[in-house]
Amino acid sequence: MSTPVIFDKKPVVLELEPGTYYWCKCGQSKNQPYCDGGHKGTEFAPLAFEITEKKTVALCNCKHTANSPFCDGTHAKL
Ligand code: FES
């Protein structure tokens, strides 16, 4: 398994409306934290996740979380 690119060593906190989102796993999207197709040619694919009610989330930007797409604090150890 390849190692994702670290986009940022802190999460992005967003208030999301209900819907389906595609979190960038590879770290190469120019539309972080979402996939923009930049993973093409790599073994990565985006992670689809659902938000069922409006809420504030902390999405991982280091791409090394063990609880994707959410921040689990791993960025502090990178
Ligand atoms: Fe990173 Fe699609 S651009 S997973």
Side-chain angles (χ1 to χ4, degrees), residues 42-57:
T42 73
E43 64 188 78
F44 292 99
L47 175 76
F49 67 101
E50 299 280 339
I51 296 293
T52 54
E53 59 188 36
K54 185 175 181 173
K55 68 175 172 179
T56 300
V57 296

Side-chain angles (χ1 to χ4, degrees), residues 22-40 42 44-47 63:
Y22 296 88
W23 177 72
C24 169
K25 262 189 182 174
C26 74
Q28 299 189 73
S29 171
K30 302 212 178 340
N31 185 35
Q32 294 291 342
Y34 307 115
C35 175
D36 72 350
H39 61 269
K40 282 201 178 79
T42 73
F44 292 99
L47 175 76
K63 311 303 178 182

